[in-house]
């Protein structure tokens, strides 16, 4: 057994050496597909994934891999003269091409031509599920799989230079073999549009963004693909309106900011509202933006709301990012400066140019895996609300209430007075889906509480929390929000099990959103936690975003 295992390892190493030599000599996919492969790329063997060969790419991203796999397979079929059409599959994160069953042998032969140029994998599918192990196109196993599977999943594997982000066949291109039956082509599995098409169904060309909600609909040009008219139609569930993102951010360690804050007493009626942990910047924003670019490439524009600050690493060259100062959104200059997040949040809808539908992030919120606009909005414009199991305390306001609980109780009174219902649940600390027009309406409807909150320099017992709670109940009772679910994790840096939980999260990468929060740590804990957190975030999100300054910008 040891000899067999050692032989397999040796063969695997010889295999990667052969591929690396081809790359070095230029006899690779760079010659055949120069727009898909770059001279600086290399290969790596992923020991934890059965020795799969990954293309190492500094800009690896799920959307990038999805698009590259689609373009690769389309070019193979075009070169072989094989007819195909894109299908609206049941996953937004991979593409689907339909071909006639009669062309099966030609398809398998076309895939086999990659064996001397690029490490492209193939696996059989049963429905949407992979069956068996993946194998390199051109191998005996790949030919066997291609000869009988009704659906093949094909594609490359990408990894960042540190191999901490590995992207595989989840972002591949499925090839479906449609059989001929009663003069029509019949699908081998369910899709989102049709069970069959006519043999002479006309082909049309559409942007890839028409077929998936994961594409960058409003921000960049996307490639076109050949499909049939049934798949080219916009569907009722498709979110077609633009979605922006708003962040609020502060660097509490900046000396000038500290001097401004020190002019206004000790800050707040409760220890949590004054605790320095609330204002600590551990570079979370950098990684939250990386997560956003990686897992929500469909976002149109990002607005960063700050108080005369911006991170040193932030690039202002991106046309998709705007830094907004508090003075630009507060209607009354007397309310500034403010160190109250409730006050700042009450003014977000005043951002000039902000889209009607937007997501609000704190800098400690992260998207943990790919998402679509439909995860946060319905196509009719309604926003999704993610309720938390945590509850707002039932008793009335007390002197010892934490700011979050005091605001929750004030929210409850407003909802009870206006809709006769007592809110109980808090919301998950995940990205908040909001509508700008509803926020303007609330500012007018609850003018007194809104004005009081916007003028509270520190968190106050009279505050209301608008985008993180009150909006969602108000929008629900007025028919513009719906309760929904999101896979979510909340991690508290002050908890003793934090290191273990971060490790599990990194290993699984299965949460759509997670929050890493801290409100009570002291200085000693902060230093230790910062090292641990930065290592975790760098491993989870290793690919820089377009919002970061490149080395030449820093000079």
């Amino acid at each position: 057994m040891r000899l067999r295992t050692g032989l397999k390892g040796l063969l695997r190493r010889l295999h990667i050496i052969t591929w690396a030599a081809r790359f070095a000599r230029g006899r690779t996919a760079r010659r055949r597909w120069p727009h898909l492969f770059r001279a600086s790329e290399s290969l790596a063997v992923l020991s934890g994934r059965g020795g799969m060969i990954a293309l190492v790419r500094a800009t690896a991203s799920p959307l990038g891999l999805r698009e590259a796999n689609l373009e690769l397979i389309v070019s193979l079929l075009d070169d072989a003269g094989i007819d195909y059409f894109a299908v609206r599959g049941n996953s937004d994160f991979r593409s689907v091409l339909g071909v006639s069953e009669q062309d099966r042998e030609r398809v398998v032969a076309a895939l086999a031509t990659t064996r001397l140029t690029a490490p492209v994998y193939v696996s059989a599918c049963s429905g949407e599920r992979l069956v068996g192990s993946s194998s390199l196109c051109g191998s005996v196993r790949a030919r066997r799989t291609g000869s009988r599977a009704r659906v093949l999943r094909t594609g490359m594997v990408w990894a960042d230079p540190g191999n901490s982000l590995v992207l595989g066949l989840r972002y591949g291109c499925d090839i479906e073999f449609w059989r001929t039956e009663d003069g029509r082509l019949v699908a081998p599995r369910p899709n989102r549009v049709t069970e069959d098409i006519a043999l002479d169904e006309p082909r049309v060309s559409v942007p890839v963004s028409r077929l998936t909600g994961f594409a960058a609909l409003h921000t960049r040009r996307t490639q076109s693909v050949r499909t049939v008219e049934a798949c080219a139609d916009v569907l009722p569930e498709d979110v077609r309106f633009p979605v922006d993102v708003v962040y609020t951010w502060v660097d509490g360690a900046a000396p000038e900011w500290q001097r401004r804050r020190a002019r206004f007493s000790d800050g707040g009626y409760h220890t949590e509202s004054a605790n320095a942990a609330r204002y600590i910047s551990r570079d979370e924003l950098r990684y939250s933006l990386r997560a956003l670019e990686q897992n929500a490439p469909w976002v149109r524009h990002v607005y960063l709301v700050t108080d005369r600050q911006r991170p040193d690493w932030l690039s202002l060259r991106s046309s998709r990012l705007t830094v907004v100062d508090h003075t630009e959104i507060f209607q009354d200059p007397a309310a500034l400066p403010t160190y109250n997040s409730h006050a700042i949040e009450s003014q977000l809808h005043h951002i000039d140019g902000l889209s009607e539908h937007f997501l609000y992030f704190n800098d400690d919120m992260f998207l943990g895996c790919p998402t679509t606009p439909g995860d946060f909005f319905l196509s009719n414009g309604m926003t999704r609300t993610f309720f938390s199991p945590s509850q707002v305390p039932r008793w009335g306001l007390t002197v010892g209430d934490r700011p979050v609980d005091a605001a929750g109780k004030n929210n409850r009174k407003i909802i009870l007075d206006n809709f006769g219902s007592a809110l109980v649940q808090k919301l998950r600390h995940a990205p908040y889906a909001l509508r700008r027009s509803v926020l303007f309406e609330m500012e007018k409807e609850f003018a007194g509480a809104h004005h009081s909150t916007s003028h509270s320099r520190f968190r106050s017992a009279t505050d209301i929390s608008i985008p993180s709670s009150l909006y969602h109940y108000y929008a629900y009772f007025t028919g513009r929000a719906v309760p929904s679910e999101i896979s979510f994790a909340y991690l508290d840096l002050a908890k003793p099990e934090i290191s273990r939980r971060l490790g599990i999260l990194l290993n699984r990468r299965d949460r759509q959103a997670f929050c890493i929060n801290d409100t009570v740590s002291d200085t000693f804990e902060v230093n230790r936690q910062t090292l641990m957190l930065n290592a975790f975030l760098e491993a989870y999100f290793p690919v820089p975003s377009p919002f970061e300054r490149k080395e030449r910008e820093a000079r």
Side-chain angles (χ1 to χ4, degrees):
M1 179 64 71
R2 288 182 180 177
L3 179 61
R4 186 179 303 171
T5 302
L7 182 60
K8 285 183 178 179
L10 177 61
L11 291 174
R12 194 174 294 141
R13 286 193 292 273
L14 290 173
H15 196 60
I16 187 64
I17 290 171
T18 302
W19 277 102
R22 288 174 185 156
F23 260 62
R25 290 196 301 268
R27 294 194 299 109
T28 66
R30 290 197 297 276
R31 180 174 296 178
R32 187 171 181 182
W33 299 289
H35 54 298
L36 290 181
F37 299 89
R38 302 170 185 173
S40 61
E41 288 170 341
S42 59
L43 296 170
V45 175
L46 306 175
S47 57
R49 299 201 177 201
M52 294 184 79
I53 301 172
L55 187 68
V56 178
R57 171 167 286 201
T59 57
S61 72
L63 180 60
L65 181 54
R66 184 193 190 281
E67 292 178 339
N69 281 329
L70 173 60
E71 190 169 352
L72 175 66
I73 302 304
V74 162
S75 67
L76 288 172
L77 299 181
D78 281 338
D79 290 348
I82 301 171
D83 184 39
Y84 64 88
F85 52 92
V87 179
R88 288 211 64 173
N90 289 315
S91 171
D92 285 296
F93 307 126
R94 55 183 169 268
S95 52
V96 182
L97 298 176
V99 299
S100 171
E101 173 68 39
Q102 297 176 0
D103 289 323
R104 177 186 289 273
E105 290 186 7
R106 297 172 65 202
V107 170
V108 175
L111 292 174
T113 64
T114 65
R115 68 186 183 278
L116 298 177
T117 54
V120 180
Y121 285 88
V122 63
S123 181
C125 290
S126 175
E128 299 294 324
R129 183 174 56 87
L130 289 176
V131 178
S133 58
S134 302
S135 52
L136 281 166
C137 289
S139 66
V140 173
R141 179 184 292 177
R143 289 178 180 273
R144 189 182 305 122
T145 299
S147 68
R148 58 195 180 195
R150 299 173 68 187
V151 180
L152 298 176
R153 183 160 300 160
T154 62
M156 299 172 285
V157 178
W158 280 4
D160 78 286
N163 288 352
S164 62
L165 175 66
V166 178
L167 306 172
L169 291 184
R170 184 186 183 192
Y171 312 104
C173 178
D174 287 0
I175 301 175
E176 297 181 341
F177 295 103
W178 290 49
R179 70 184 187 279
T180 303
E181 187 176 302
D182 298 328
R184 300 183 69 80
L185 284 176
V186 180
R189 62 178 180 179
N191 59 59
R192 294 173 63 189
V193 177
T194 183
E195 296 177 349
D196 56 23
I197 62 172
L199 287 174
D200 59 351
E201 190 84 19
R203 304 293 193 258
V204 296
S205 181
V206 300
V208 171
S209 57
R210 185 75 62 84
L211 306 178
T212 171
F214 190 50
L217 181 63
H218 298 277
T219 57
R220 314 173 186 84
R221 291 182 180 178
T222 58
Q223 65 192 87
S224 294
V225 66
R226 185 163 75 237
T227 185
V228 293
E229 291 183 354
C231 293
D233 292 333
V234 175
L235 301 184
E237 66 266 29
D238 292 341
V239 174
R240 311 304 293 178
F241 47 77
V243 178
D244 290 343
V245 162
V246 175
Y247 280 92
T248 51
W249 176 83
V250 65
D251 180 6
E256 182 57 33
W257 184 89
Q258 289 182 339
R259 282 192 291 270
R260 291 197 302 268
R261 181 174 180 266
R263 298 190 191 113
F264 299 94
S265 72
D266 59 354
Y269 76 98
H270 191 279
T271 55
E272 277 196 16
S273 65
N275 193 286
R278 301 204 61 85
Y279 307 104
I280 293 170
S281 172
R282 297 185 176 91
D283 245 5
E284 295 100 331
L285 178 64
R286 180 200 296 264
Y287 296 100
S288 185
L289 285 169
R290 289 185 182 185
L292 186 72
E293 184 70 9
Q294 177 176 303
N295 295 318
W298 39 267
V299 167
R300 184 187 70 166
H301 200 85
V302 178
Y303 294 92
L304 176 62
V305 178
T306 72
D307 178 15
R308 290 171 278 181
Q309 294 181 312
R310 72 174 178 87
D312 292 338
W313 50 262
L314 188 72
S315 172
L316 300 182
R317 293 188 177 185
S318 174
S319 61
R320 293 179 51 228
L321 184 139
T322 301
V323 177
V324 180
D325 191 73
H326 292 175
T327 56
E328 299 177 56
I329 58 175
F330 274 81
Q331 305 300 292
D332 184 0
L336 296 175
T338 185
Y339 306 94
N340 179 4
S341 60
H342 291 154
I344 299 164
E345 292 168 352
S346 75
Q347 304 297 307
L348 299 181
H349 53 291
H350 291 288
I351 295 173
D352 186 37
L354 181 65
S355 61
E356 163 68 2
H357 299 83
F358 70 98
L359 296 175
Y360 169 48
F361 281 69
N362 297 139
D363 63 1
D364 57 5
M365 295 178 181
F366 306 86
L367 294 178
C369 61
T371 63
T372 69
D375 292 321
F376 302 96
F377 301 93
L378 299 186
S379 60
N380 63 3
M382 296 176 74
T383 56
R384 294 188 182 274
T385 293
F386 309 121
F387 288 114
S388 167
S390 300
Q391 298 179 345
V392 177
R394 290 291 300 173
W395 57 86
L397 283 170
T398 65
V399 176
D401 280 334
R402 298 185 304 153
V404 64
D405 292 331
K409 293 177 181 181
N410 295 330
N411 296 341
R412 180 166 60 207
K413 184 176 188 309
I414 287 176
I415 296 300
L416 187 60
D417 290 346
N418 287 270
F419 301 103
S421 179
L423 69 85
V424 173
Q425 291 172 271
K426 297 178 182 179
L427 268 74
R428 293 197 181 280
H429 205 60
Y432 303 114
L434 304 165
R435 287 183 61 172
R436 195 179 183 192
S437 61
V438 177
L439 291 168
F440 273 111
E441 183 179 311
M442 292 175 65
E443 182 175 13
K444 182 178 180 181
E445 188 73 18
F446 311 121
H450 196 283
H451 181 271
S452 174
T453 299
S454 68
H455 284 70
S456 294
R457 208 172 300 280
F458 296 93
R459 286 196 174 191
S460 165
T462 61
D463 284 354
I464 54 175
S465 50
I466 299 172
S468 61
S469 178
L470 183 60
Y471 164 92
H472 303 276
Y473 281 98
Y474 179 80
Y476 172 75
F477 281 112
T478 56
R480 289 168 287 187
V482 59
S484 299
E485 295 293 333
I486 189 170
S487 57
F488 175 77
Y490 180 90
L491 300 98
D492 188 339
L493 285 173
K495 298 294 184 181
E497 69 274 12
I498 183 62
S499 180
R500 179 182 62 84
R501 292 198 61 196
L502 289 175
I504 293 172
L505 190 62
L506 177 62
N507 181 59
R508 294 179 179 174
R509 294 179 179 265
D510 60 349
R511 300 305 174 101
Q512 291 171 291
F514 60 88
C515 171
I516 303 177
N517 204 353
D518 177 28
T519 58
V520 298
S521 295
D522 59 26
T523 303
F524 174 77
E525 289 177 320
V526 165
N527 294 334
R528 176 180 58 83
Q529 292 166 357
T530 297
L531 293 174
M532 174 180 60
L533 181 60
N534 286 348
F536 164 79
L537 292 174
E538 183 62 34
Y540 204 115
F541 307 111
V543 178
S545 77
F547 310 117
E548 296 177 47
R549 298 173 69 181
K550 295 180 173 57
E551 187 175 342
R552 61 178 176 271
E553 289 183 63
R555 295 180 184 141

